[in-house]
Amino acid sequence: MRLQQLLVVLDPTQEAQPALNRAAWLARHSQAHLDLLLCEFTPALEGALWLDSTRLEQARSDLLAQRRAWAEQLAAPLRAEGLDVSVEVRWGKSVQQTVLDRVAERQPDLVFKASKNHGLLQRLFLSNSCWQLIRKCPVPLWLVHRAEWQGHKLAAALDPMHVADKPAALDHQLIRTGQELAASLGLEAHYLHCYAPLPRTLVFDAELIADYEGYAQRCAQQHRQAFEQLLAPYALQAHQQHLLEGFAEERIPQFVEQSGIDLLLMGAVSRSHLDRALLGNTAERILEAVHCDLLVLKPSQT
C-alpha cells in the first residue's frame, strides 16, 4: 500500500480532530503529504430570502475564510514538525460528495474520517456520510472510531469461503495490506476468520438434525481448511492466525476488545440492490459494534 497522499476530513463542529491525529501519526512514519479537507454548509446561507445574492455570497465567503483560518491553525504545528500539509475548504451540502470530489481530484492513497456510532434508522436511510463513503469511496477508507490510539496491533478479517460474496482476490489484498502496514508502522498483525454453522433450531433436514454434531464438525473442518489454504503462501506464525466460531458481527468485536486491536482491516463490496442497501454489509454492521479504528478496502486496490 502506498502511503504518499493522505486525505483528512475535518469536522468543523468538533474541537477534537481524531482523524487528523491519526493521519499525522501515520505521516510521521511515512512522510506522506496531508491534505486537510473541510466541508462547510449552513442552511441559513443557502438561498436566504432576507439577503440578496451579493450579500449572500459575501456571507459564505466570510464563513469559509473563518473556517480556513481555523484549519490553518490545525495545520501550523504539523508544518512546524516538518510535515507537508495543505488545506482545502469548500462549501457543500453533502460531505460525502465533497470528499468524493476531492478524492477524484487528488487520488489519495488513504482517506481519514472520524466515525461515530449511529442508530439503525440513520443506517437504513443512508443519511450518514460514513455509510455512504464505505459504499462509494474508491480508495481505502480509514474510519477513526475513538481518540485514544496505542498503535500496537492490527487485525484483518478474512472470508476464505466467500460467504459474503466477496471476490477471492480481496482476501489476499487484505493480507498483503496488513503485512505492509505492520512492516512500515511497526504494528503486530493478526488474521482472523469467523464461521457459524446453521443453528440447530434452523435445521429442517431430518438427516442433518439426526447428525447435527457431525454437521457442525464438517462445517468447522471446511472453514479450517479454507483458512489454512488462504494463509499458506504467507508463512504466518501460529499466534497470528485466528479461526473463530460464531457470527462475525459478534465474534469480531469480542476479539478486537479481548486482543487489544487498534486497527481492523475489512473488505467491502458496494451493493446496488435494495435489500443489500437496507441491510448493509458485514463491514457496516461491525462498525456499529467495534471500538477500534476500521480500515475498509475495496476490490482491485493496491
Side-chain angles (χ1 to χ4, degrees):
M1 170 181 277
R2 293 179 52 198
L3 296 174
Q4 298 177 3
Q5 296 282 338
L6 310 180
L7 176 60
V8 185
V9 182
L10 300 178
D11 185 351
T13 67
Q14 302 293 325
E15 181 177 354
Q17 297 295 316
L20 177 56
N21 294 339
R22 201 75 79 251
W25 175 84
L26 194 149
R28 294 184 187 103
H29 285 76
S30 62
Q31 295 304 305
H33 171 80
L34 293 172
D35 184 29
L36 311 188
L37 175 64
L38 189 152
C39 178
E40 177 60 61
F41 180 79
T42 301
L45 298 180
E46 183 73 12
L49 299 178
W50 48 276
L51 286 177
D52 59 41
S53 59
T54 301
R55 292 182 178 180
L56 191 62
E57 185 63 32
Q58 184 60 52
R60 291 179 191 165
S61 178
D62 291 343
L63 179 56
L64 290 179
Q66 293 175 11
R67 293 304 193 194
R68 176 173 291 278
W70 176 75
E72 292 289 354
Q73 289 179 350
L74 296 176
L78 300 176
R79 291 176 179 143
E81 291 183 38
L83 298 179
D84 185 16
V85 185
S86 61
V87 173
E88 178 71 8
V89 179
R90 295 187 176 182
W91 182 269
K93 186 175 183 179
S94 169
V95 173
Q96 62 268 17
Q97 189 56 53
T98 302
V99 173
L100 293 174
D101 291 343
R102 190 62 171 173
V103 167
E105 294 169 8
R106 299 299 296 266
Q107 297 294 308
D109 301 306
L110 269 174
V111 174
F112 286 82
K113 187 180 185 304
S115 171
K116 301 176 183 177
N117 283 340
H118 295 275
L120 177 62
L121 188 62
Q122 286 182 299
R123 185 174 64 188
L124 278 171
F125 291 100
L126 309 179
S127 59
N128 181 264
S129 58
C130 287
W131 302 125
Q132 292 282 21
L133 289 175
I134 285 177
R135 287 180 169 87
K136 298 180 180 180
C137 186
V139 303
L141 175 66
W142 188 315
L143 294 171
V144 179
H145 210 76
R146 60 185 179 188
E148 300 82 7
W149 175 250
Q150 301 300 320
H152 296 323
K153 297 181 181 181
L154 67 81
L158 307 174
D159 182 23
M161 300 291 286
H162 313 300
V163 294
D165 195 25
K166 297 188 306 183
L170 185 53
D171 277 327
H172 293 283
Q173 181 183 334
L174 287 163
I175 297 171
R176 290 193 299 269
T177 299
Q179 290 184 314
E180 292 166 3
L181 290 177
S184 61
L185 303 178
L187 301 175
E188 179 183 309
H190 296 263
Y191 304 89
L192 60 107
H193 168 55
C194 294
Y195 73 95
L198 192 65
R200 188 189 299 267
T201 55
L202 296 181
V203 175
F204 298 103
D205 184 282
E207 186 175 338
L208 284 183
I209 293 175
D211 185 28
Y212 182 82
E213 295 301 326
Y215 154 73
Q217 292 176 5
R218 290 192 299 273
C219 179
Q221 182 63 22
Q222 289 175 351
H223 282 269
R224 183 177 297 106
Q225 290 177 349
F227 188 49
E228 292 175 350
Q229 183 178 1
L230 171 64
L231 298 181
Y234 300 96
L236 301 175
Q237 298 182 28
H239 76 273
Q240 295 179 278
Q241 307 175 38
H242 308 272
L243 182 64
L244 309 176
E245 182 177 355
F247 294 106
E249 53 266 39
E250 297 175 357
R251 294 293 283 120
I252 289 180
Q254 291 174 3
F255 177 85
V256 165
E257 185 69 23
Q258 295 169 0
S259 303
I261 299 300
D262 302 296
L263 176 64
L264 178 65
L265 280 62
M266 296 198 65
V269 179
S270 297
R271 305 298 187 188
S272 58
H273 299 297
L274 181 60
D275 60 337
R276 296 290 191 177
L278 290 174
L279 294 175
N281 59 30
T282 302
E284 293 172 337
R285 294 196 296 272
I286 291 174
L287 177 58
E288 287 285 345
V290 296
H291 297 286
C292 71
D293 287 10
L294 183 69
L295 178 57
V296 181
L297 282 74
K298 299 290 182 62
S300 302
Q301 295 168 345
T302 57

